[in-house]
Amino acid sequence: MRAAPKPSVLVCVTGQYDCDRLIEAGFEKAVENGWELHVLCVHTPTDDPFAYSEEIEHLYRTGKDLGADMTVAFDRNAPRCTADFAKKINARQLITGMPDNRPNGFVLTVHELLPRLQLTMVTKDGERMMYSLESTDRFLA
């Protein structure tokens, strides 16, 4: 029987240079808890794979400097891809950027798929906002 992977922090990034602040926040949380650090970037398969190559390279280097593995996935369902990856790596916390003043279906859908996963959103100025959304277990019948 294979042992479960070590608990980890999963940082979700997009193809933007300033997502490095998310990786840094994830690093702090990983060190604080003795967890592994993973970075995930999900793009739709129709995206030009070179559209964000410089930004992705920057984020890869940032993660590598902090001891993180980075995965780039191409999937039409980013929340499902993220939830599946989070389960695979035994994620205990998910760190994302703070959405602008628009609904963020990504975070809500990931929460529905993994209701016990701790969520942290980081604003553009680097302020961390901890969100513990109410468990949706009662809705999953």
Side-chain angles (χ1 to χ4, degrees):
M1 181 179 218
R2 196 169 135 192
K6 186 175 180 179
S8 64
V9 174
L10 176 57
V11 179
C12 290
V13 298
T14 59
Q16 300 175 47
Y17 284 104
D18 67 350
C19 284
D20 55 4
R21 75 191 190 288
L22 306 177
I23 299 169
E24 291 164 1
F27 173 74
E28 290 175 16
K29 190 52 117 173
V31 168
E32 177 184 315
N33 291 289
W35 295 344
E36 291 185 359
L37 178 61
H38 295 271
V39 179
L40 177 66
C41 183
V42 181
H43 286 287
T44 59
T46 57
D47 281 347
D48 174 2
F50 301 105
Y52 305 107
S53 59
E54 290 180 22
E55 292 89 338
I56 296 296
E57 179 63 27
H58 167 74
L59 297 172
Y60 171 80
R61 281 192 311 270
T62 300
K64 185 175 180 182
D65 289 347
L66 297 175
D69 289 328
M70 181 167 174
T71 301
V72 178
F74 293 89
D75 196 303
R76 292 191 191 287
N77 188 337
R80 168 59 66 191
C81 180
T82 300
D84 290 346
F85 190 78
K87 288 178 196 174
K88 179 180 174 184
I89 63 164
N90 195 19
R92 301 290 173 90
Q93 182 154 24
L94 175 71
I95 296 181
T96 69
M98 176 66 79
D100 297 331
N101 293 327
R102 55 193 151 106
N104 188 327
F106 172 80
V107 170
L108 293 175
T109 303
V110 171
H111 175 64
E112 288 174 2
L113 295 169
L114 298 172
R116 290 186 179 94
L117 185 63
Q118 176 74 40
L119 301 172
T120 299
M121 294 181 222
V122 180
T123 61
K124 291 276 186 187
D125 65 5
E127 178 184 332
R128 288 170 195 84
M129 302 190 73
M130 300 291 288
Y131 285 88
S132 296
L133 299 177
E134 180 181 333
S135 175
T136 56
D137 286 344
R138 62 188 169 147
F139 302 112
L140 302 175

